[in-house]
Amino acid sequence: VSVLYCVMSTFRHVAQTAAQAMMNRGLTDSAAWAMSLLVGADEDAVETPFVNHFEDRPPRGYQVTNGSLIPDPSHPDSLGAPVTPALMLGRALLARQEFRRCINALRNETSDEAVFLQHYAWYLDGERQNNLGIDTGGEGSSTGGLSTFEGSCAPSEVSNSLRKNPFLPEILRALGNIVATTGDNAALGDGSTPNQAVCHDVSRISFHDDPYLVWLYGLVASKSGLADVAIQAFACAVSMEPLLWAAWRDMVPLVRHEGQLAEIAEALRNECVTTPWIVQLFTATARIQLGQLPLALSDVNDLAVVFPQAAFVQQLRAQVHSAAKEHETAKNAFLKLRALDGYRLDAMDDFSNVLFVLGDRRGLSSLALDCFTVDPFRAESNCVAGNLYGML
């Protein structure tokens, strides 16, 4: 834990810049996640010199000058960096979910952020069309979904279970040309068919230096069934921007066993030397999925020392106890989570499952009322309501 403490000041300095970069790209979930960790951090953590970690590779948007870590005004992601009107328009249109207007507005922009926004808008447009069951004539065959602004999907009530985002093959080829090359410097998107668009020998792939483009490439590769390529892309993205939670989160379902998780975690600890706790957040989340609950709880206990008021860490604790079928302990952990942030809906569906098993009708009724007051259209709210109706 002392190792986690010694780099907390690093987090305080760079988290705001990273969150702003994510907000600019429409990755609001990851930005909120990073800032909620900062709010929930131990304010008494010892502030110690950390510049020695950055002599060779400062965090994005920063530079080391005369032994001090300061913002790099020349970096496009630094706070206060100049922005073109077209890029500002593209950001606004993505936030308004006017995806095709966003693509059109950025057609003459060449910055990494503009390229990301164009391809992300393209991806989200395909997710929306798939969810609505619109036939675009595109290729594809995986499950449909209701997309959020970071690519995760909930089951759609209207799309066929055999459908998928119709633009995935085209986006995969386009991004392959931009962000990834093989050992002979050939772009991965040079192939004329979807199967040729990606090099399956992942050891030969090298990636672009923009973590957001690399994450998006990994997301599309994952949705296309290319798990190994996706894992390498996600790992590369978080090595460049450790606070990009979308990449960590999207890597979790691709981890198949504890040995693979340990190998990934060890490699990324060497890359994320200034934020080692981020790797523990990833391993704790993955271990819950893998059923490695004692190891997950050990990770959570370490993290809780540094982030005693962080809702996400408390959520992980509650989910560990719920997965272990320690229902009373899980209930108390979820109640503490609610005390930290009573308007947070994440994992409230898991809480409702615990209350259902315990037969706590009064608690479930109160939770359902609170969730619908916050947002009646969230999937979690409807799961809670479903458990309540099942108990009546």
mmCIF file of all heavy atoms in Angstrom, residues 349-386:
data_model
loop_
_atom_site.group_PDB
_atom_site.id
_atom_site.type_symbol
_atom_site.label_atom_id
_atom_site.label_comp_id
_atom_site.label_asym_id
_atom_site.label_seq_id
_atom_site.Cartn_x
_atom_site.Cartn_y
_atom_site.Cartn_z
ATOM 1 N N ASP A 349 -28.635 -2.919 -9.913
ATOM 2 C CA ASP A 349 -29.285 -4.172 -10.298
ATOM 3 C C ASP A 349 -28.730 -5.328 -9.479
ATOM 4 O O ASP A 349 -29.482 -6.222 -9.036
ATOM 5 C CB ASP A 349 -29.127 -4.436 -11.788
ATOM 6 C CG ASP A 349 -27.690 -4.297 -12.273
ATOM 7 O OD1 ASP A 349 -26.892 -3.599 -11.605
ATOM 8 O OD2 ASP A 349 -27.354 -4.878 -13.320
ATOM 9 N N ASP A 350 -27.411 -5.309 -9.220
ATOM 10 C CA ASP A 350 -26.806 -6.338 -8.362
ATOM 11 C C ASP A 350 -27.352 -6.234 -6.940
ATOM 12 O O ASP A 350 -27.625 -7.255 -6.284
ATOM 13 C CB ASP A 350 -25.285 -6.182 -8.338
ATOM 14 C CG ASP A 350 -24.639 -6.477 -9.683
ATOM 15 O OD1 ASP A 350 -25.221 -7.276 -10.446
ATOM 16 O OD2 ASP A 350 -23.577 -5.916 -9.968
ATOM 17 N N PHE A 351 -27.501 -4.998 -6.448
ATOM 18 C CA PHE A 351 -28.060 -4.794 -5.109
ATOM 19 C C PHE A 351 -29.477 -5.345 -5.038
ATOM 20 O O PHE A 351 -29.863 -5.998 -4.063
ATOM 21 C CB PHE A 351 -28.036 -3.307 -4.775
ATOM 22 C CG PHE A 351 -28.441 -2.978 -3.358
ATOM 23 C CD1 PHE A 351 -28.415 -3.933 -2.345
ATOM 24 C CD2 PHE A 351 -28.844 -1.689 -3.021
ATOM 25 C CE1 PHE A 351 -28.775 -3.624 -1.032
ATOM 26 C CE2 PHE A 351 -29.205 -1.364 -1.729
ATOM 27 C CZ PHE A 351 -29.180 -2.340 -0.738
ATOM 28 N N SER A 352 -30.263 -5.118 -6.080
ATOM 29 C CA SER A 352 -31.645 -5.612 -6.071
ATOM 30 C C SER A 352 -31.685 -7.145 -6.059
ATOM 31 O O SER A 352 -32.583 -7.746 -5.457
ATOM 32 C CB SER A 352 -32.411 -5.069 -7.278
ATOM 33 O OG SER A 352 -31.991 -5.666 -8.493
ATOM 34 N N ASN A 353 -30.707 -7.787 -6.714
ATOM 35 C CA ASN A 353 -30.643 -9.250 -6.670
ATOM 36 C C ASN A 353 -30.409 -9.744 -5.241
ATOM 37 O O ASN A 353 -31.006 -10.741 -4.801
ATOM 38 C CB ASN A 353 -29.531 -9.757 -7.582
ATOM 39 C CG ASN A 353 -29.834 -9.540 -9.053
ATOM 40 O OD1 ASN A 353 -30.988 -9.399 -9.455
ATOM 41 N ND2 ASN A 353 -28.799 -9.493 -9.873
ATOM 42 N N VAL A 354 -29.532 -9.049 -4.527
ATOM 43 C CA VAL A 354 -29.255 -9.416 -3.135
ATOM 44 C C VAL A 354 -30.507 -9.250 -2.286
ATOM 45 O O VAL A 354 -30.865 -10.133 -1.486
ATOM 46 C CB VAL A 354 -28.099 -8.558 -2.578
ATOM 47 C CG1 VAL A 354 -27.954 -8.755 -1.072
ATOM 48 C CG2 VAL A 354 -26.793 -8.904 -3.287
ATOM 49 N N LEU A 355 -31.188 -8.128 -2.452
ATOM 50 C CA LEU A 355 -32.405 -7.878 -1.674
ATOM 51 C C LEU A 355 -33.485 -8.897 -2.016
ATOM 52 O O LEU A 355 -34.248 -9.331 -1.140
ATOM 53 C CB LEU A 355 -32.908 -6.460 -1.931
ATOM 54 C CG LEU A 355 -31.998 -5.324 -1.441
ATOM 55 C CD1 LEU A 355 -32.546 -3.978 -1.885
ATOM 56 C CD2 LEU A 355 -31.846 -5.366 0.075
ATOM 57 N N PHE A 356 -33.559 -9.302 -3.276
ATOM 58 C CA PHE A 356 -34.544 -10.305 -3.692
ATOM 59 C C PHE A 356 -34.273 -11.640 -3.004
ATOM 60 O O PHE A 356 -35.191 -12.295 -2.493
ATOM 61 C CB PHE A 356 -34.500 -10.466 -5.208
ATOM 62 C CG PHE A 356 -35.513 -11.441 -5.747
ATOM 63 C CD1 PHE A 356 -36.797 -11.030 -6.055
ATOM 64 C CD2 PHE A 356 -35.179 -12.771 -5.941
ATOM 65 C CE1 PHE A 356 -37.736 -11.925 -6.543
ATOM 66 C CE2 PHE A 356 -36.105 -13.686 -6.426
ATOM 67 C CZ PHE A 356 -37.395 -13.259 -6.735
ATOM 68 N N VAL A 357 -33.001 -12.060 -3.009
ATOM 69 C CA VAL A 357 -32.644 -13.329 -2.371
ATOM 70 C C VAL A 357 -32.936 -13.289 -0.865
ATOM 71 O O VAL A 357 -33.394 -14.281 -0.284
ATOM 72 C CB VAL A 357 -31.156 -13.652 -2.629
ATOM 73 C CG1 VAL A 357 -30.712 -14.854 -1.805
ATOM 74 C CG2 VAL A 357 -30.918 -13.925 -4.112
ATOM 75 N N LEU A 358 -32.707 -12.141 -0.253
ATOM 76 C CA LEU A 358 -32.959 -11.997 1.176
ATOM 77 C C LEU A 358 -34.444 -11.824 1.491
ATOM 78 O O LEU A 358 -34.837 -11.859 2.668
ATOM 79 C CB LEU A 358 -32.186 -10.801 1.734
ATOM 80 C CG LEU A 358 -30.661 -10.944 1.777
ATOM 81 C CD1 LEU A 358 -30.011 -9.629 2.195
ATOM 82 C CD2 LEU A 358 -30.242 -12.060 2.729
ATOM 83 N N GLY A 359 -35.264 -11.614 0.469
ATOM 84 C CA GLY A 359 -36.688 -11.401 0.696
ATOM 85 C C GLY A 359 -37.005 -10.060 1.330
ATOM 86 O O GLY A 359 -38.042 -9.915 1.992
ATOM 87 N N ASP A 360 -36.140 -9.081 1.115
ATOM 88 C CA ASP A 360 -36.311 -7.761 1.720
ATOM 89 C C ASP A 360 -37.194 -6.903 0.814
ATOM 90 O O ASP A 360 -36.707 -6.076 0.040
ATOM 91 C CB ASP A 360 -34.945 -7.101 1.934
ATOM 92 C CG ASP A 360 -35.023 -5.811 2.722
ATOM 93 O OD1 ASP A 360 -36.144 -5.289 2.923
ATOM 94 O OD2 ASP A 360 -33.965 -5.303 3.131
ATOM 95 N N ARG A 361 -38.504 -7.097 0.908
ATOM 96 C CA ARG A 361 -39.435 -6.376 0.040
ATOM 97 C C ARG A 361 -39.410 -4.874 0.308
ATOM 98 O O ARG A 361 -39.466 -4.066 -0.616
ATOM 99 C CB ARG A 361 -40.848 -6.914 0.232
ATOM 100 C CG ARG A 361 -41.878 -6.236 -0.669
ATOM 101 C CD ARG A 361 -43.277 -6.749 -0.409
ATOM 102 N NE ARG A 361 -43.382 -8.179 -0.682
ATOM 103 C CZ ARG A 361 -44.509 -8.884 -0.502
ATOM 104 N NH1 ARG A 361 -45.596 -8.283 -0.041
ATOM 105 N NH2 ARG A 361 -44.538 -10.171 -0.774
ATOM 106 N N ARG A 362 -39.322 -4.517 1.569
ATOM 107 C CA ARG A 362 -39.323 -3.094 1.904
ATOM 108 C C ARG A 362 -38.074 -2.391 1.338
ATOM 109 O O ARG A 362 -38.166 -1.309 0.760
ATOM 110 C CB ARG A 362 -39.374 -2.932 3.421
ATOM 111 C CG ARG A 362 -39.447 -1.489 3.882
ATOM 112 C CD ARG A 362 -39.657 -1.419 5.387
ATOM 113 N NE ARG A 362 -39.765 -0.049 5.843
ATOM 114 C CZ ARG A 362 -39.981 0.294 7.115
ATOM 115 N NH1 ARG A 362 -40.124 -0.652 8.035
ATOM 116 N NH2 ARG A 362 -40.065 1.568 7.450
ATOM 117 N N GLY A 363 -36.922 -3.034 1.507
ATOM 118 C CA GLY A 363 -35.694 -2.452 0.982
ATOM 119 C C GLY A 363 -35.714 -2.370 -0.536
ATOM 120 O O GLY A 363 -35.256 -1.390 -1.130
ATOM 121 N N LEU A 364 -36.256 -3.410 -1.186
ATOM 122 C CA LEU A 364 -36.323 -3.434 -2.640
ATOM 123 C C LEU A 364 -37.283 -2.372 -3.156
ATOM 124 O O LEU A 364 -37.022 -1.713 -4.171
ATOM 125 C CB LEU A 364 -36.749 -4.826 -3.104
ATOM 126 C CG LEU A 364 -36.605 -5.174 -4.591
ATOM 127 C CD1 LEU A 364 -35.219 -4.835 -5.110
ATOM 128 C CD2 LEU A 364 -36.914 -6.646 -4.815
ATOM 129 N N SER A 365 -38.396 -2.181 -2.460
ATOM 130 C CA SER A 365 -39.356 -1.148 -2.855
ATOM 131 C C SER A 365 -38.738 0.239 -2.754
ATOM 132 O O SER A 365 -38.901 1.079 -3.657
ATOM 133 C CB SER A 365 -40.600 -1.244 -1.971
ATOM 134 O OG SER A 365 -41.515 -0.219 -2.279
ATOM 135 N N SER A 366 -37.998 0.476 -1.674
ATOM 136 C CA SER A 366 -37.341 1.773 -1.494
ATOM 137 C C SER A 366 -36.279 2.003 -2.566
ATOM 138 O O SER A 366 -36.167 3.107 -3.128
ATOM 139 C CB SER A 366 -36.706 1.838 -0.102
ATOM 140 O OG SER A 366 -35.981 3.034 0.068
ATOM 141 N N LEU A 367 -35.527 0.955 -2.882
ATOM 142 C CA LEU A 367 -34.491 1.072 -3.911
ATOM 143 C C LEU A 367 -35.115 1.361 -5.268
ATOM 144 O O LEU A 367 -34.615 2.209 -6.027
ATOM 145 C CB LEU A 367 -33.668 -0.218 -3.964
ATOM 146 C CG LEU A 367 -32.556 -0.262 -5.015
ATOM 147 C CD1 LEU A 367 -31.502 0.809 -4.739
ATOM 148 C CD2 LEU A 367 -31.908 -1.649 -5.052
ATOM 149 N N ALA A 368 -36.220 0.678 -5.593
ATOM 150 C CA ALA A 368 -36.872 0.893 -6.882
ATOM 151 C C ALA A 368 -37.373 2.331 -7.000
ATOM 152 O O ALA A 368 -37.208 2.974 -8.048
ATOM 153 C CB ALA A 368 -38.030 -0.083 -7.050
ATOM 154 N N LEU A 369 -37.963 2.858 -5.938
ATOM 155 C CA LEU A 369 -38.456 4.232 -5.957
ATOM 156 C C LEU A 369 -37.301 5.219 -6.169
ATOM 157 O O LEU A 369 -37.405 6.146 -6.980
ATOM 158 C CB LEU A 369 -39.184 4.543 -4.647
ATOM 159 C CG LEU A 369 -39.716 5.977 -4.494
ATOM 160 C CD1 LEU A 369 -40.720 6.299 -5.600
ATOM 161 C CD2 LEU A 369 -40.346 6.164 -3.113
ATOM 162 N N ASP A 370 -36.196 4.988 -5.472
ATOM 163 C CA ASP A 370 -35.042 5.883 -5.606
ATOM 164 C C ASP A 370 -34.464 5.831 -7.023
ATOM 165 O O ASP A 370 -34.113 6.865 -7.603
ATOM 166 C CB ASP A 370 -33.961 5.519 -4.590
ATOM 167 C CG ASP A 370 -34.352 5.865 -3.166
ATOM 168 O OD1 ASP A 370 -35.315 6.631 -2.990
ATOM 169 O OD2 ASP A 370 -33.697 5.361 -2.229
ATOM 170 N N CYS A 371 -34.356 4.623 -7.579
ATOM 171 C CA CYS A 371 -33.779 4.478 -8.917
ATOM 172 C C CYS A 371 -34.654 5.146 -9.971
ATOM 173 O O CYS A 371 -34.144 5.837 -10.868
ATOM 174 C CB CYS A 371 -33.586 2.999 -9.247
ATOM 175 S SG CYS A 371 -32.260 2.188 -8.315
ATOM 176 N N PHE A 372 -35.964 4.966 -9.871
ATOM 177 C CA PHE A 372 -36.848 5.583 -10.855
ATOM 178 C C PHE A 372 -36.907 7.088 -10.695
ATOM 179 O O PHE A 372 -37.155 7.815 -11.662
ATOM 180 C CB PHE A 372 -38.249 4.965 -10.769
ATOM 181 C CG PHE A 372 -38.432 3.794 -11.689
ATOM 182 C CD1 PHE A 372 -37.871 2.564 -11.378
ATOM 183 C CD2 PHE A 372 -39.116 3.920 -12.882
ATOM 184 C CE1 PHE A 372 -38.009 1.479 -12.232
ATOM 185 C CE2 PHE A 372 -39.265 2.854 -13.745
ATOM 186 C CZ PHE A 372 -38.706 1.625 -13.421
ATOM 187 N N THR A 373 -36.675 7.580 -9.485
ATOM 188 C CA THR A 373 -36.603 9.021 -9.291
ATOM 189 C C THR A 373 -35.386 9.607 -9.981
ATOM 190 O O THR A 373 -35.433 10.699 -10.558
ATOM 191 C CB THR A 373 -36.559 9.352 -7.785
ATOM 192 O OG1 THR A 373 -37.732 8.853 -7.146
ATOM 193 C CG2 THR A 373 -36.474 10.856 -7.554
ATOM 194 N N VAL A 374 -34.269 8.865 -9.950
ATOM 195 C CA VAL A 374 -33.040 9.339 -10.590
ATOM 196 C C VAL A 374 -33.142 9.235 -12.108
ATOM 197 O O VAL A 374 -32.878 10.199 -12.838
ATOM 198 C CB VAL A 374 -31.821 8.540 -10.081
ATOM 199 C CG1 VAL A 374 -30.565 8.910 -10.859
ATOM 200 C CG2 VAL A 374 -31.612 8.779 -8.592
ATOM 201 N N ASP A 375 -33.512 8.051 -12.624
ATOM 202 C CA ASP A 375 -33.601 7.862 -14.080
ATOM 203 C C ASP A 375 -34.432 6.609 -14.371
ATOM 204 O O ASP A 375 -33.928 5.486 -14.252
ATOM 205 C CB ASP A 375 -32.211 7.723 -14.693
ATOM 206 C CG ASP A 375 -32.243 7.672 -16.218
ATOM 207 O OD1 ASP A 375 -33.341 7.562 -16.794
ATOM 208 O OD2 ASP A 375 -31.168 7.729 -16.846
ATOM 209 N N PRO A 376 -35.684 6.788 -14.765
ATOM 210 C CA PRO A 376 -36.538 5.615 -15.018
ATOM 211 C C PRO A 376 -36.171 4.849 -16.276
ATOM 212 O O PRO A 376 -36.681 3.742 -16.497
ATOM 213 C CB PRO A 376 -37.942 6.236 -15.146
ATOM 214 C CG PRO A 376 -37.689 7.632 -15.617
ATOM 215 C CD PRO A 376 -36.399 8.052 -14.965
ATOM 216 N N PHE A 377 -35.279 5.412 -17.117
ATOM 217 C CA PHE A 377 -34.942 4.760 -18.382
ATOM 218 C C PHE A 377 -33.636 3.980 -18.321
ATOM 219 O O PHE A 377 -33.269 3.318 -19.295
ATOM 220 C CB PHE A 377 -34.868 5.799 -19.502
ATOM 221 C CG PHE A 377 -36.152 6.554 -19.684
ATOM 222 C CD1 PHE A 377 -36.260 7.872 -19.277
ATOM 223 C CD2 PHE A 377 -37.262 5.944 -20.244
ATOM 224 C CE1 PHE A 377 -37.452 8.571 -19.436
ATOM 225 C CE2 PHE A 377 -38.452 6.627 -20.398
ATOM 226 C CZ PHE A 377 -38.552 7.945 -19.998
ATOM 227 N N ARG A 378 -32.922 4.045 -17.215
ATOM 228 C CA ARG A 378 -31.687 3.269 -17.084
ATOM 229 C C ARG A 378 -32.017 1.788 -16.932
ATOM 230 O O ARG A 378 -33.002 1.402 -16.288
ATOM 231 C CB ARG A 378 -30.893 3.750 -15.870
ATOM 232 C CG ARG A 378 -30.032 4.962 -16.107
ATOM 233 C CD ARG A 378 -28.732 4.620 -16.806
ATOM 234 N NE ARG A 378 -27.852 3.841 -15.958
ATOM 235 C CZ ARG A 378 -26.911 4.364 -15.174
ATOM 236 N NH1 ARG A 378 -26.723 5.679 -15.138
ATOM 237 N NH2 ARG A 378 -26.144 3.593 -14.434
ATOM 238 N N ALA A 379 -31.155 0.959 -17.509
ATOM 239 C CA ALA A 379 -31.363 -0.487 -17.436
ATOM 240 C C ALA A 379 -31.404 -0.959 -15.984
ATOM 241 O O ALA A 379 -32.204 -1.834 -15.620
ATOM 242 C CB ALA A 379 -30.265 -1.204 -18.206
ATOM 243 N N GLU A 380 -30.539 -0.365 -15.139
ATOM 244 C CA GLU A 380 -30.504 -0.772 -13.734
ATOM 245 C C GLU A 380 -31.847 -0.523 -13.045
ATOM 246 O O GLU A 380 -32.310 -1.350 -12.255
ATOM 247 C CB GLU A 380 -29.397 -0.023 -12.990
ATOM 248 C CG GLU A 380 -27.989 -0.380 -13.431
ATOM 249 C CD GLU A 380 -27.486 0.451 -14.580
ATOM 250 O OE1 GLU A 380 -28.317 1.111 -15.263
ATOM 251 O OE2 GLU A 380 -26.269 0.450 -14.836
ATOM 252 N N SER A 381 -32.481 0.614 -13.348
ATOM 253 C CA SER A 381 -33.773 0.935 -12.733
ATOM 254 C C SER A 381 -34.808 -0.117 -13.094
ATOM 255 O O SER A 381 -35.608 -0.547 -12.247
ATOM 256 C CB SER A 381 -34.244 2.317 -13.187
ATOM 257 O OG SER A 381 -33.335 3.326 -12.793
ATOM 258 N N ASN A 382 -34.802 -0.552 -14.336
ATOM 259 C CA ASN A 382 -35.795 -1.530 -14.768
ATOM 260 C C ASN A 382 -35.503 -2.922 -14.220
ATOM 261 O O ASN A 382 -36.425 -3.694 -13.964
ATOM 262 C CB ASN A 382 -35.860 -1.530 -16.289
ATOM 263 C CG ASN A 382 -36.541 -0.288 -16.838
ATOM 264 O OD1 ASN A 382 -37.771 -0.241 -16.929
ATOM 265 N ND2 ASN A 382 -35.766 0.718 -17.168
ATOM 266 N N CYS A 383 -34.225 -3.249 -14.016
ATOM 267 C CA CYS A 383 -33.892 -4.516 -13.367
ATOM 268 C C CYS A 383 -34.398 -4.529 -11.925
ATOM 269 O O CYS A 383 -34.926 -5.537 -11.443
ATOM 270 C CB CYS A 383 -32.396 -4.751 -13.413
ATOM 271 S SG CYS A 383 -31.740 -5.190 -15.043
ATOM 272 N N VAL A 384 -34.208 -3.411 -11.237
ATOM 273 C CA VAL A 384 -34.692 -3.311 -9.858
ATOM 274 C C VAL A 384 -36.202 -3.476 -9.827
ATOM 275 O O VAL A 384 -36.747 -4.215 -8.988
ATOM 276 C CB VAL A 384 -34.284 -1.955 -9.231
ATOM 277 C CG1 VAL A 384 -34.901 -1.801 -7.849
ATOM 278 C CG2 VAL A 384 -32.759 -1.843 -9.137
ATOM 279 N N ALA A 385 -36.893 -2.793 -10.754
ATOM 280 C CA ALA A 385 -38.346 -2.910 -10.811
ATOM 281 C C ALA A 385 -38.775 -4.340 -11.098
ATOM 282 O O ALA A 385 -39.752 -4.844 -10.517
ATOM 283 C CB ALA A 385 -38.898 -1.962 -11.853
ATOM 284 N N GLY A 386 -38.054 -5.013 -11.981
ATOM 285 C CA GLY A 386 -38.388 -6.397 -12.290
ATOM 286 C C GLY A 386 -38.271 -7.304 -11.085
ATOM 287 O O GLY A 386 -39.121 -8.185 -10.863
#
